[in-house]
Amino acid sequence: NIENLSLEQLSGLKKQLDEEVNQIGTSLRGLREAEARFQESKRSLDALQPEHAGREILVPLTSSLYVNGRIGDVTEVMVDIGTGYFAGQSVQGANEYMDRKLDYLRKNCGSL
């Protein structure tokens, strides 16, 4: 019973709860950032059109370093499936993958 706790115990409980709230906030921000990345990927897939084949683009090597490139096959894309692994998928398959990831992230955000 919280009414029977001493001031020192209440202070410790408050500190513990504050830490848990901060940890949940950090987790929620991370999930929201991941959700935004998957939504951006879906928008990019939606923008990819057959007439884009052969178009010149800038390919990022880092967040501030790019090289010139050309769009090749617009029916297949490489999807980052985590921990440095990539899988070739059709645009439709990649869209379905992004939808599954977004659903998973939204469920996790809801559980926090």
Side-chain angles (χ1 to χ4, degrees), residues 4-71:
N4 297 333
L5 296 177
S6 69
L7 187 55
E8 188 175 291
Q9 290 171 319
L10 286 171
S11 177
L13 180 61
K14 180 190 178 305
K15 181 180 178 184
Q16 178 184 351
L17 291 173
D18 286 343
E19 289 173 1
E20 288 179 18
V21 166
N22 286 337
Q23 184 178 18
I24 290 170
T26 300
S27 296
L28 186 58
R29 279 188 297 279
L31 290 172
R32 293 286 183 211
E33 288 170 3
E35 182 181 11
R37 287 192 304 271
F38 282 112
Q39 287 173 336
E40 181 182 0
S41 294
K42 279 191 61 68
R43 283 191 298 274
S44 295
L45 286 170
D46 292 340
L48 190 60
Q49 301 297 317
E51 60 269 14
H52 293 153
R55 182 181 284 182
E56 285 192 21
I57 60 170
L58 292 175
V59 180
L61 295 178
T62 68
S63 61
S64 59
L65 183 63
Y66 298 82
V67 294
N68 290 320
R70 288 192 185 275
I71 297 177

Side-chain angles (χ1 to χ4, degrees), residues 68-80:
N68 290 320
R70 288 192 185 275
I71 297 177
D73 184 3
V74 294
T75 62
E76 290 274 325
V77 294
M78 297 298 290
V79 178
D80 181 352

